[in-house]
Amino acid sequence: MKTTLIFVAALTAAVAASGAASAQKTEEVGQNPYGGLHWSVAAPQGASWALQCQFAPVTIRGIHMNRINHTGTGHMAGRLPSDNGSCRVTKTGGAGGVGVAVVKNGVATAAGTRDAAAPAVVNVF
């Protein structure tokens, strides 16, 4: 499975240049970079998928980020660095459907799809 982190250092510079730096505060998450919301993707029949989760900007070991991307098949789970976020899973191939769930305060919010043209989206704020 491939994991990619998309960094927003350029966003911080652009915001500072526009004079709106105070509106774009990032939280330093330090030693526990993935201590926020739990997420899980399921594809019980082995479908392949692409997951994108967005969250409020954070700083992890000096690097600013607000998004993670994962691709895979079957099941994968992890955690976000914050307690708010939005995850979108898109079916990219194979049989069956794909689903995504995000858990906040012990309550799961989930969505699923069988259609590659219609991603499943979960927003937890």
Side-chain angles (χ1 to χ4, degrees):
M1 291 183 196
K2 178 182 169 192
T3 303
T4 306
L5 298 178
I6 299 176
F7 304 105
V8 293
L11 175 64
T12 303
V15 170
S18 71
S22 62
Q24 232 2 273
K25 179 181 177 249
T26 62
E27 176 186 353
E28 173 67 58
V29 292
Q31 298 301 315
N32 191 14
Y34 295 99
L37 299 175
H38 291 269
W39 60 264
S40 180
V41 173
Q45 294 176 324
S48 58
W49 46 263
L51 175 73
Q52 180 183 75
C53 294
Q54 294 179 281
F55 41 85
V58 296
T59 302
I60 298 174
R61 297 179 192 101
I63 298 172
H64 303 291
M65 61 186 288
N66 70 341
R67 180 178 309 149
I68 60 169
N69 293 313
H70 298 287
T71 58
T73 58
H75 172 55
M76 184 178 191
R79 292 183 80 165
L80 298 178
S82 67
D83 65 350
N84 292 296
S86 174
C87 291
R88 169 188 303 259
V89 68
T90 303
K91 180 178 174 179
T92 58
V98 296
V100 60
V102 177
V103 179
K104 181 171 184 172
N105 299 326
V107 178
T109 303
T113 186
R114 297 181 65 83
D115 183 355
V121 178
V122 173
N123 295 303
V124 180
F125 296 103

